[in-house]
Amino acid sequence: FFFWYQVPASMALVAQAKQLFLDAFGHPPTLVVSAPGRVNLIGEHTDYNEGFVLPLCIERCTLIAARKTAGSKCKVTSSSEGAGRVFDFVGDASLQKAADWTNYMRGVVFQYLPDLPGGCAGFEAAVVTTVPLGGGLSSSASLEVATATMLEALYELRVEPLVKALRCQKCEHDFCATPCGIMDQFISACGKAGHALLIDCRKPYPTEHVPLDDEGLQIVIANSNVKHSLSGSEYPDRVRQCKEACAAMRSSGHPGVRFLRDATLEQLASVKALDAVVARRATHGISEDQRTLQAREALKARDYARVGQLMLESHRSLRDDYEVSTPELDALVGIAMAVDGVYGSRVNGGGFGG
């Protein structure tokens, strides 16, 4: 895998999306849009702690071929979900969650309703993706951002990329039961070619494009073949544990600790009788922010050996303190580090596979 950002989808993928649309609806689409997946160089499980992340877009993307229709009926089909079945839902204020993948589109549509004529949406859409589902590369954010881009194109809307990302994050919270941070949607909507994006996940979300265009450098993404899902309790449990750690630090004389982003390891150590698991979760969050900022500086200096060292430290923290790695992921890291020329390796995404 070479690092590419917002690359135009290949003509073969565009043709695939158009054909899927034609097969499902009997006529051609009027447009095709795309949004990329992402890989996170470093800064894992820090975004919902208002910390720092350093992701980049990848060439894998989600395409949507679409056509606007009259009324408020939304019809969607996917090449990877439902075996060509057409799903439909109402595109107005009565829109509700479902028990299937269309929630990632439903939630985005709901966020855009105030901008649409009459407060309703009507369209036909066919979805094709090359982002592996459940692979930790943000297939969900890619679908959400593609859906938002589709609506903007169909209805000739002008929406700032940050606003788009926040609407897609709100979709994930309200329709997909995942209390995620802003990183995945932000990088898919705001990525830039030849750069990683340092995101400060505290409002107003300042960013810095960090050059990552050395032709001698490659980023390799390896699949553990363990499919992950963040819709269970693992993700919400860790969000809750981080909040518990912050509350404990505030109660121990550190009132400024609203999120782990505000804390130091010394402040954490000052808390007495803190649950050991909660303490480990907080240790990761605090130290990961430090590693992410150090990685930004190392990248700017083209000190890739230092970046690799920080990636390994991040993996150990995610494995031991945050407990989101798996034996398969640990094995992949070990295999990678035994190869000459590899600077660093780590679990990517939310963990639990991918």
Side-chain angles (χ1 to χ4, degrees), residues 106-259:
R106 291 169 182 255
V108 175
V109 170
F110 191 82
Q111 290 301 311
Y112 273 79
L113 290 179
D115 292 336
L116 303 182
C120 66
F123 60 81
E124 298 164 333
V127 180
V128 171
T129 187
T130 59
V131 185
L133 304 180
L137 300 178
S138 294
S139 57
S140 58
S142 178
L143 175 56
E144 291 158 2
V145 173
T147 301
T149 304
M150 175 199 72
L151 291 169
E152 292 166 14
L154 288 176
Y155 290 94
E156 300 181 353
L157 305 175
R158 289 185 176 273
V159 178
E160 290 296 320
L162 173 57
V163 174
K164 176 190 292 190
L166 289 170
R167 289 179 179 184
C168 292
Q169 180 198 31
K170 182 69 170 171
C171 156
E172 195 107 5
H173 289 181
D174 294 350
F175 275 72
C176 308
T178 302
C180 65
I182 189 60
M183 174 181 67
D184 295 350
Q185 295 80 9
F186 205 134
I187 184 60
S188 186
C190 305
K192 178 181 177 182
H195 294 73
L197 183 66
L198 180 76
I199 305 172
D200 180 339
C201 297
R202 171 164 288 171
K203 291 180 182 179
Y205 309 110
T207 61
E208 178 184 351
H209 289 286
V210 182
L212 188 56
D213 55 0
D214 191 321
E215 293 183 356
L217 189 68
Q218 294 184 4
I219 297 174
V220 178
I221 303 171
N223 188 356
S224 69
N225 288 317
V226 178
K227 189 172 182 179
H228 83 160
S229 173
L230 294 182
S231 59
S233 66
E234 296 91 349
Y235 197 108
D237 284 349
R238 281 156 179 77
V239 174
R240 173 183 52 77
Q241 288 159 346
C242 291
K243 291 179 178 179
E244 287 181 11
C246 292
M249 283 183 274
R250 289 195 299 272
S251 298
S252 298
H254 306 292
V257 179
R258 296 190 298 118
F259 292 88

Side-chain angles (χ1 to χ4, degrees), residues 335-343:
I335 292 168
M337 295 312 302
V339 177
D340 289 341
V342 172
Y343 291 111

